Amino acid sequence: MAQARQMHPNMGNSFDRVSIYNNSKGTLTGYDCPKCHNKGNYMAVLNDEEILRPCECMEKRKMLKAIHESGLEEILSQCTFDSFEATEDWQKNIKYKAVKYAEDNEGKWFYIGGQVGSGKTHICTAIVGKLIKAGHNAKYMMWRDEIVRLKAMRNSEDFDDMIAEYKKIKVLYIDDLFKTVQGKQPTQADIDIAFEIINYRYIHKDLITIFSCEKYIDEITEIDEAVGSRINQKARGFNLAVAFDKSRNYRLKEQT
Ligand SMILES: [Zn+2]
């Protein structure tokens, strides 16, 4: 090493510069990185040249930003696969399918319909959490509320930008598709907006869509054939339905 230094008389200065730079503080927030001190990069010397390398924390920052922007920040840490209660066979089956889906979905969609309070939101949130960790941006859409907002903006020039958020995000989680504020039947405007989002995502094959819904997929198809058939086709293999059986226990019927 001493020899090498003698051969490169500038190295001494460079070491100082590298050390000064690497110990200086940056302005990034949200995560306190001991390596780059929140600059997002650090300096290294390669073939006598000082170069800036992106710090590993940038991946973590990207993930934290994705969590924040997903709309699920508050429940993502609670609703994981580990915390999903899976004592009954139907719960084990849901968990098995969801874990499998999160690991390798090949661009398929995930649909879980049926009984309220059966952990549907929990399991879908756990899937979204995994997909964010895998580096994808995700967005949560509570249908009942968002559809009201979208319809109110339908004739405004901002509408295209608003709906584009739901069309183009890599992972979209739609909660309670076609649920309406007062339990009424969805209107043609509801159906048109649903179709615009779902058809865009259907055509762009790398976009992932996850649904938890009180309705079974047949009921979605009854409301609108074009919407239902697209979901049905894309969610093949990951289309789950939770129902009560006669003893008031939940059970799982898998739809194909
Ligand atoms: Zn860092």
Side-chain angles (χ1 to χ4, degrees):
M1 269 320 277
Q3 275 248 307
R5 275 207 198 180
Q6 274 175 3
M7 286 166 72
H8 303 288
N10 290 335
M11 279 294 254
N13 291 334
S14 182
F15 275 136
D16 292 341
R17 276 199 300 276
V18 170
S19 153
I20 288 167
Y21 181 83
N22 284 343
N23 284 309
S24 68
K25 296 203 187 318
T27 55
L28 297 176
T29 55
Y31 170 71
D32 194 19
C33 179
K35 182 163 182 178
C36 69
H37 301 287
N38 306 332
K39 293 186 296 295
N41 56 40
Y42 59 91
M43 197 180 274
V45 178
L46 184 71
N47 299 329
D48 289 354
E49 272 194 76
E50 291 162 5
I51 54 164
L52 286 179
R53 287 211 165 110
C55 183
E56 291 79 16
C57 72
M58 291 310 285
E59 282 299 309
K60 189 166 197 140
R61 290 178 196 282
K62 193 177 154 221
M63 191 183 85
L64 290 169
K65 185 165 177 273
I67 287 173
H68 181 67
E69 289 176 354
S70 70
L72 289 166
E73 189 170 23
E74 281 172 23
I75 64 166
L76 267 173
S77 58
Q78 298 150 32
C79 297
T80 62
F81 288 133
D82 283 343
S83 65
F84 182 76
E85 192 190 320
T87 46
E88 305 290 328
D89 281 349
W90 66 271
Q91 293 169 319
K92 288 177 189 159
N93 199 348
I94 288 175
K95 185 172 171 178
Y96 171 78
K97 283 277 187 183
V99 168
K100 194 163 167 243
Y101 178 85
E103 281 169 1
D104 185 17
N105 55 62
E106 296 172 337
K108 285 190 176 170
W109 294 359
F110 186 92
Y111 189 98
I112 182 163
Q115 184 57 47
V116 179
S118 54
K120 299 193 306 290
T121 302
H122 184 137
I123 205 72
C124 290
T125 303
I127 293 173
V128 174
K130 279 279 178 193
L131 294 175
I132 289 175
K133 279 192 184 136
H136 300 310
N137 287 318
K139 193 165 180 64
Y140 173 68
M141 179 182 201
M142 186 193 273
W143 182 264
R144 195 192 60 191
D145 294 349
E146 287 308 299
I147 188 64
V148 172
R149 213 163 66 91
L150 283 166
K151 282 191 291 187
M153 298 294 284
R154 211 173 178 198
N155 296 317
S156 109
E157 56 187 19
D158 295 332
F159 179 76
D160 285 346
D161 288 342
M162 271 180 72
I163 199 169
E165 285 182 34
Y166 299 110
K167 284 155 82 169
K168 294 180 179 173
I169 190 86
K170 172 74 185 187
V171 177
L172 179 67
Y173 168 21
I174 300 181
D175 193 8
D176 268 336
L177 176 64
F178 288 149
K179 190 182 173 95
T180 57
V181 174
Q182 289 156 324
K184 293 178 184 163
Q185 277 297 101
T187 63
Q188 192 57 46
D190 295 335
I191 292 168
D192 290 347
I193 290 174
F195 182 78
E196 184 171 345
I197 294 169
I198 286 164
N199 191 49
Y200 184 94
R201 303 185 66 80
Y202 175 82
I203 293 166
H204 294 83
K205 301 207 179 299
D206 59 329
L207 299 176
I208 292 168
T209 316
I210 294 158
F211 300 86
S212 61
C213 204
E214 285 172 31
K215 294 176 171 55
Y216 298 131
I217 203 136
D218 325 7
E219 297 172 270
I220 299 288
T221 307
E222 273 168 32
I223 293 168
D224 189 73
E225 164 74 31
V227 169
S229 64
R230 278 162 178 72
I231 298 172
N232 211 358
Q233 193 192 329
K234 287 285 285 183
R236 197 154 289 158
F238 296 102
N239 177 5
L240 309 179
V242 186
F244 272 122
D245 66 17
K246 286 184 186 126
S247 57
R248 303 265 312 157
N249 290 318
Y250 295 115
R251 65 192 162 85
L252 188 73
K253 55 171 184 168
E254 282 183 46
Q255 301 185 337
T256 49

